[in-house]
Amino acid sequence: MDELLSQAVGPLIAIFLVTAMFSLGLDLTLRQIVDSLRDKRLVTKSLLINLLLVPLLAVAITNLIPMHEGLRIGIVVYAIAAGTEGGPKFVQIIGGNTAFAFGLLVLLLTFTVAVVPLLLPLVVPHVDISTGALVGKLLLVVALPICVGLFLNARFQALAARISPFAHHLSMFLLYGLFVLLIYVNFQEIVALQTNALLAGLLLFALAFTAGYLAGGAGAAQPARARDHDVCPQWQYLDIDRRGSLPARPASADDGDDHDGMLSATGRVDSHRNQAIAVAASGGNSSGPMSGQAAFSGLCSS
């Protein structure tokens, strides 16, 4: 039974990613995604944090905190591999700017696919990465579902509006189920995990989160659905207060640097919170240093 559940993790992750990306596409337009990346200052800060600061933090933390070599390599490799396919879904859950989150994800995954295969041999000698297989998975579980959702939202808005709640609830159900399943399947590894490695993962998450929060600003605004924009363009960003009432005026255009408060490190922050334990634990297995990376690949890209 346990073996069957372990084998089910990969397919369930793929199904979750497909439904999550499809759900995002139903609520976005291509113009929203492109326009969200016009804020060059925010994009630059986001890329610097994800591609430079977080890997440097990982190297510093794993050198300061003693741990098994496999765990250290696993955390560093994970920090280098920017972009988590499920990140925009977490941003949608907290009411953030999903258009920017997905646009940033595209940029981060482009870097990961193009550059990480060249960098990994410097960290893990003799490592072999199938770039073609990685690109194929990303196209199948990320690009295709969101493109289908974007198409439906652009051409059949009424249908997209009806499907969107179902797709969102299905992806959330799969997310909660996967969370429980991953803990159950990896429970023995979690129990046997070195305390230092767990501390390092949590510290990396906290620092990455803080860096992204400070770089983006404290505010957050979620673009309204595309059909609302067609009726009233000034409703593009709505700021709903704690009582659920709408503001007296639309958000100012000057809020650009503030409305993505927790998004600058989107490619990393959401994944560290849910996966640091499994990643670190796998890195200490007898199969060698690359077992940690295998855990990341199975969890993020299957």
Side-chain angles (χ1 to χ4, degrees), residues 49 52-65 75-76 79 200 203-212 272:
I49 288 174
L52 182 61
L53 179 60
V54 171
L56 290 177
L57 286 174
V59 171
I61 290 172
T62 54
N63 279 295
L64 290 174
I65 300 178
I75 292 177
V76 172
L203 181 58
L204 180 61
F205 161 73
L207 293 177
F209 180 92
T210 302
H272 277 307

Side-chain angles (χ1 to χ4, degrees), residues 171-252:
S171 64
M172 292 302 300
F173 173 79
L174 291 171
L175 175 62
Y176 295 142
L178 279 171
F179 182 75
V180 174
L181 180 60
L182 286 170
I183 292 179
Y184 176 80
V185 170
N186 297 286
F187 183 76
Q188 296 299 327
E189 288 79 4
I190 295 174
V191 173
L193 179 66
Q194 290 183 358
T195 304
N196 286 355
L198 178 59
L199 175 63
L202 294 175
L203 181 58
L204 180 61
F205 161 73
L207 293 177
F209 180 92
T210 302
Y213 184 85
L214 294 177
Q222 165 67 20
R225 291 185 59 85
R227 51 197 132 270
D228 294 331
H229 300 168
D230 297 335
V231 177
C232 187
Q234 63 266 33
W235 289 359
Q236 184 174 4
Y237 293 100
L238 298 177
D239 184 15
I240 302 177
D241 64 23
R242 293 181 180 179
R243 298 184 301 277
S245 59
L246 296 179
R249 62 176 181 84
S252 169

Side-chain angles (χ1 to χ4, degrees), residues 260-286:
D260 296 296
M262 292 178 286
L263 298 179
S264 291
T266 296
R268 263 339 165 319
V269 168
D270 295 314
S271 53
H272 277 307
R273 176 180 58 194
N274 296 321
Q275 302 166 18
I277 295 178
V279 165
S282 298
N285 290 342
S286 59

Side-chain angles (χ1 to χ4, degrees), residues 37 43 45-52 79-85 88 100-116 138 263-269:
L37 297 177
V43 171
K45 290 188 295 184
S46 301
L47 292 177
L48 287 176
I49 288 174
N50 280 276
L51 304 180
L52 182 61
I80 294 175
T84 299
E85 296 92 325
F100 178 78
F102 182 77
L104 178 61
L105 175 64
V106 172
L107 298 178
L108 294 177
L109 288 179
T110 300
F111 170 86
T112 296
V113 172
V115 179
V116 169
L138 292 176
L263 298 179
S264 291
T266 296
R268 263 339 165 319
V269 168

